[in-house]
Amino acid sequence: MIFIRSVVFLLAASLITIYYGTGGVLGLLIGLKPLTRHRWVTTGWVSMMMRASCSILGIRYRVIGRENIPAGPAVIVSKHQSAWETFGLQVIFPPLSFILKRELLWIPFLGWALASIRSIAIDRKAGKDALSQVVEQGRERLKEGLWVAVFPEGTRVAPGVRGRYRPGGAFLAKRAGVPVVPVAHNAGEFWRRQAFLKSPGEITVSIGPAIEVKGIKAEEINRRAKEWIENEMTRLFPHHFKDGEQEQAGDDSEAL
């Protein structure tokens, strides 16, 4: 049954992405404003992908800590275990933009959809200039009223793995003067990295208290975000760590 569900979901996800990716390009050609295209794609593409994951795959979710979501724009610093959170976070939080590697925008349909949702595409080979790209584009998105989501470990990590947290999100929040919202979850239990088969179950998403950035260095902001996320992962999902904690440096392939 899991195999059949996974096949059906792949077909459905492909059709949904083709439709909204093409629509995003057409919206650009006819001159729709960026935020208009963003709203159209997020209300359509994201909503349908979430519905498909629930109805076809049987993947549901619950949220802890909604009261911690600030009233204004913020930088989300989240655990990254699967593709699910790229949709799930957009449903849970106000309209947001993701930081991703520029090469993803070159993928037909998927890249077009990602471009339509005002993603922050950076050149990973740019070294220190990549951080400047994050800060510059991120501040623009925040001024537009969008939130910015960052996966600080740099790549998807398996459940029970702790990656090295890069400070890009903290630097952006510090420069923009907005809080950081840490997020822990266990999406990788059901939607594993690069795995075709996806299992039914309930994802738990936990939102931590906002970290105010005034008077605190970016490195300290990053440390506090990591500490909260990893402590929450251990508290909520202790079975992931019963054999001892693991470390993974990450490959810088997906996020700063």
Side-chain angles (χ1 to χ4, degrees), residues 160 189 232-244:
E189 283 192 37
E232 187 72 350
M233 293 295 293
T234 302
R235 184 182 75 85
L236 291 175
F237 320 113
H239 54 289
H240 291 169
F241 306 97
K242 62 183 180 180
D243 295 327

Side-chain angles (χ1 to χ4, degrees), residues 153-173:
E153 290 167 290
T155 188
R156 288 168 288 182
V157 297
V161 172
R162 302 183 190 276
R164 181 168 64 89
Y165 281 53
R166 293 158 181 79
F171 272 108
L172 169 58

Side-chain angles (χ1 to χ4, degrees), residues 1-27:
M1 181 59 71
I2 290 178
F3 177 79
I4 295 175
R5 284 186 172 189
S6 298
V7 171
V8 174
F9 176 78
L10 176 60
L11 294 174
S14 299
L15 292 175
I16 293 169
T17 302
I18 289 172
Y19 177 79
Y20 282 98
T22 303
V25 172
L26 292 177

Side-chain angles (χ1 to χ4, degrees), residues 160-226:
V161 172
R162 302 183 190 276
R164 181 168 64 89
Y165 281 53
R166 293 158 181 79
F171 272 108
L172 169 58
K174 181 66 177 178
R175 296 286 183 87
V178 300
V180 166
V181 179
V183 175
H185 63 83
N186 65 328
E189 283 192 37
F190 314 102
W191 188 317
R192 293 187 176 275
R193 176 186 180 185
Q194 298 177 346
F196 171 71
L197 298 179
K198 300 167 182 62
S199 304
E202 183 177 73
I203 295 170
T204 297
V205 179
S206 182
I207 303 170
I211 302 171
E212 298 297 334
V213 301
K214 186 177 181 179
I216 307 174
K217 292 184 177 180
E219 291 80 3
E220 175 62 14
I221 297 168
N222 190 54
R223 187 197 67 78
R224 292 185 186 185
K226 176 181 179 179

Side-chain angles (χ1 to χ4, degrees), residues 3-117:
F3 177 79
I4 295 175
R5 284 186 172 189
S6 298
V7 171
V8 174
F9 176 78
L10 176 60
L11 294 174
S14 299
L15 292 175
I16 293 169
T17 302
I18 289 172
Y19 177 79
Y20 282 98
T22 303
V25 172
L26 292 177
L28 175 64
L29 294 177
I30 65 176
L32 285 181
K33 294 181 179 179
L35 288 181
T36 300
R37 287 186 286 120
H38 180 102
R39 285 192 293 269
W40 181 77
V41 173
T42 53
T43 56
W45 182 45
V46 172
S47 296
M48 292 193 70
M49 290 294 289
M50 289 295 289
R51 289 179 184 177
S53 66
C54 180
S55 60
I56 299 174
L57 298 175
I59 295 179
R60 306 173 306 281
Y61 72 95
R62 69 184 182 103
V63 179
I64 302 171
R66 283 188 185 272
E67 67 277 6
N68 291 324
I69 299 178
V75 173
I76 300 167
V77 174
S78 173
K79 199 75 177 174
H80 193 24
Q81 294 184 344
S82 73
W84 181 89
E85 51 267 28
T86 61
F87 304 111
L89 294 183
Q90 297 190 65
V91 174
I92 297 169
F93 288 95
L96 56 82
S97 176
F98 282 95
I99 296 175
L100 49 81
K101 61 179 181 178
R102 186 177 58 185
E103 289 79 3
L104 291 177
L105 301 183
W106 302 341
I107 302 175
F109 304 112
L110 174 61
W112 305 343
L114 291 173
S116 297
I117 61 173

